[in-house]
Amino acid sequence: MKKYKVTFKPFEKTIEIASGQNLFDIAKKAGIELNSSCGGEGTCGKCKVIVKEGKFKAASFIKLSQSEIEKGYVLACQTEPMTDLLIDVPPESIMRKGQKIATGSRAKDLEKLLKNLDKEIKPRARKIALTLTPPDLEDNISDTDRMKRELSKSGYIPERIYCSLKLLRDLNHILREGNWKITLTTIERGNTLEIIGIEAGDTTGLRYGLAVDIGTTTIVVYLVNLIGGKIIDIASTYNSQARCGDDVITRIVYATERGGLGELNNLVISDVNDLVKILTEKQKIDPRLIDSIVISGNTTMTHLFFGIDPKYIREEPYIPAANLFPLVMAGEIGIEVNTDAVIYALPGVASYVGGDITSGVLAAGLNKEEELTLFIDVGTNGEIVLGNSEWLMTAACSAGPCFEGSGIKHGMRATDGAIEEINIDRKTYDVHRGVIGDEKPIGICGSGMIDAIAEMFLSGVIDQKGKIREEIGLPRIRKGEEGVEFVIAWKEETGINKDIVLTEADINNILRAKAAIYAGFSILLKEAGSSFSDVSKVYIAGGFGNYIDVEKAITIGLLPDMPPEKFIFLGNTSIMGAYFCLLSKKMRKEAEGIARKMTYIELSVSRAFMDEYLSALFLPHTDITAFPTVQKMLKS
C-alpha cells in the first residue's frame, strides 16, 4: 500500500498516511479540526482547503465556486491524496473553540433556588459510615454478615441488602485497612439497598457530584459539593461529535450508515472526561471522590452517550430505544471518576423531545404555572412545550441547524470572528456590525442572521418572500455564483480576504427554520384550543436563545408578536435541571412526573402543521395582522 506525506499550513504539521484516506480524516489524525455540518457527506462545503502542491483525486466539488476551484480549493471530505500534498487551511474552515457557551444561571442563584425548592439534599447515591465490631472466636460471623448486621441497626433488612461479587473480593482487605471503619456508597432500588462502593475510613465528608448537559453543539459540566450543594466550578466545551455532523440526523446517519456509533460514543465520553480532568485538577480534588452523576441531553445525544444505536429515532414511526434509562456505573461506560459512581439520566418523552426538555420544564417551573405558558428551547432543533400545572403538551420542530451556521454560505457558530449583531442604515444602507471577540469577521452566526434578515426587511432590501430587491441598485446587491446576494462585509473588512454575504438561498434556509418553529407554536395552541393572546409568558431556553434580540426575532416571525415583558430568557435550563436532580430526590421524582405527563405531538405527519408552516414562510407571516408591531414599523 502506498504512503503519502500531507503537510497542513499554517499549522506546519506533517503526517504520513496510507493511500485511500480523505483529507478530512487525515487532518483529524494530525490534530486539526475542520468545520463540517454534514458528517463528511460532501454537502455542506464547510471543510474546504487549498491544495498548493501535489496531485489528488476529488469525488465532488459541490458547494465550491468556479473561481475557488481554479485557485485549488477542494472539499477535504471528498479528496484523497495521489502524491505528497501541501495543504493550506483557510481561516473559515478551522473549527474554533471559543464559543459563547451558555452555562446556566449564576451559581449562587441556582443554589438559593434549590434551597427554596427542596430543603433536603439527597443525591441518587448515599454514603453511610459504619464502625463494625472486630470478630473474635465467639463473634465469628462473616465480614459480609457483620456489615449487614450493623446496617440493620439503622432499619435496613439484611435480606434486602445487596453487595456485588466485585465488591466482596475487596471487602475483607478494606475492613482491616480501615480498622473496621468503612464508608459504603449505596443506592436504593425499590426495597433493596444496593452497595455500589466501599472505602476504608469515614469519607462521608468528602463527596462530589457532576451535573452534565450533553448538547448537540456544546457540553457543560458542573462540579458540585454534595454535602451542601455548592457549585464548586463549571467547565464547558464544544461537543466533538460536531466533526461527524452538526445536527442529530446527520449523527444518526453517521452512527448507523457509516458505522460510527463507537466513534460518536467515544467522542462524547472523551469530552466529559476532559472537562472532569480540568475541573478536578484545578480544584485539587481526587476524581475518585465523585460518586454521583446526572446527565441531561436530547434523545439522540443520550443514546450516543450510553452507546445505544439511535437508528430507529429517524425512521417512521420514530421510536427511541428508551425514554427512561437504567442507572449505570461510571466504570461501565468509561467516565473517569469513582468507577462505582452512579449515573442518572433525565427521562425523555419521545424521539425528538428528550431529557433536556424535561430538565428545562423542571428548571422553568412550567409544570407549576397556573396560567397558560410556552417554553421553547432554541438550538439545533426547536422543542416547544405548552401547558400549566394541569397539563403539558410538547412537539419538536425540524428547524435544522442553520442558526448554528449549517447550510449558510458564510454561516458559523457563535465563536470569535462571528458577526452577531447587524444594523442597516435606512438612508445609506451601510451595514454596522457587532463581532464576537472584536476582531475582523470571518462569518455570521445565528443571532447575526436574525438581525440581518430583520434589518434587510425593514430597510426594503428584501421583500416579504425574502427575495432580494435588485431594482434598488445598491453596490451591496449583486449576482454571485449562487444567485443574488447581499454583501454584509466587504473583502477588506473581513478576516478571510473575501466578501461575507447572505444569499437568497441562505435567506430561504433561515425562513424555513423560523417557519417551522412558529408553526410549532401555532399547532400546539390550536391543539389546546387556545391562541397567543391566552399565553401569559414565554420561557426561552438554550444557549442560542440567550443572544436573540426579541424585537428582531418578532420582526422575522420567529417569535410571536407579544409584549417584550412576556419573554423570559432562562439560558441553559438543561444543566440547571440536571443540577437540581443531582441533589434532590424530590426533583428527580418531579422530573419523572413531568416526562410522564407530557403529551407528544408528532408534527412531521401533521397536515395542519404543513399548512401553518407554509403560511409562516413569509416575513413575518402571510397574515401580517398577526404581527401588529411589525406592521407599525413598516408603515413608519
Side-chain angles (χ1 to χ4, degrees), residues 55 143 146 164 201 285 503:
K55 294 181 180 179
D143 289 341
R146 190 172 304 279
S164 69
I285 290 171
T503 68

Side-chain angles (χ1 to χ4, degrees), residues 349-537:
V349 179
S351 285
Y352 297 111
V353 176
D356 55 341
I357 303 307
T358 302
S359 188
V361 171
L362 178 72
L366 189 154
N367 58 310
K368 297 177 180 177
E369 295 281 357
E370 292 185 8
E371 297 180 287
L372 191 63
T373 305
L374 268 170
F375 172 95
I376 179 169
D377 190 323
V378 185
T380 50
N381 209 11
E383 296 99 345
I384 302 169
V385 182
L386 174 71
N388 53 28
S389 59
E390 296 181 3
W391 57 271
L392 296 169
M393 189 181 294
T394 183
C397 312
S398 184
C402 75
F403 291 127
E404 300 288 344
S406 180
I408 307 298
K409 184 178 178 71
H410 287 114
M412 63 182 292
R413 296 188 181 92
T415 61
D416 287 347
I419 298 170
E420 63 172 342
E421 184 181 345
I422 287 176
N423 286 290
I424 298 176
D425 189 288
R426 300 291 185 266
K427 294 181 180 179
T428 65
Y429 295 97
D430 286 340
V431 178
H432 304 282
R433 300 170 296 273
V435 181
I436 298 173
D438 291 325
E439 58 182 64
K440 284 191 171 186
I442 61 172
I444 181 168
C445 67
S447 59
M449 294 174 204
I450 292 172
D451 278 15
I453 292 178
E455 287 290 295
M456 290 166 74
F457 180 51
L458 293 175
S459 61
V461 171
I462 56 176
D463 62 19
Q464 200 179 358
K465 295 179 181 179
K467 297 292 182 184
I468 297 175
R469 299 175 61 218
E470 294 181 79
E471 66 271 19
I472 297 177
L474 294 176
R476 289 184 183 272
I477 297 176
R478 67 190 188 194
K479 281 191 176 178
E481 293 189 350
E482 297 179 24
V484 184
E485 59 191 26
F486 180 80
V487 179
I488 299 292
W490 297 107
K491 174 180 177 179
E492 57 273 12
E493 299 172 321
T494 74
I496 58 174
N497 201 31
K498 295 178 187 175
D499 296 337
I500 293 175
V501 303
L502 269 183
T503 68
E504 279 191 348
D506 294 336
I507 295 168
N508 287 334
N509 278 337
I510 297 164
L511 291 188
R512 284 194 287 269
K514 76 92 182 175
I517 291 172
Y518 189 84
F521 283 136
S522 301
I523 288 297
L524 284 187
L525 284 163
K526 285 188 176 181
E527 288 282 342
S530 303
S531 66
F532 285 114
S533 61
D534 299 318
V535 176
S536 65
K537 65 186 76 166

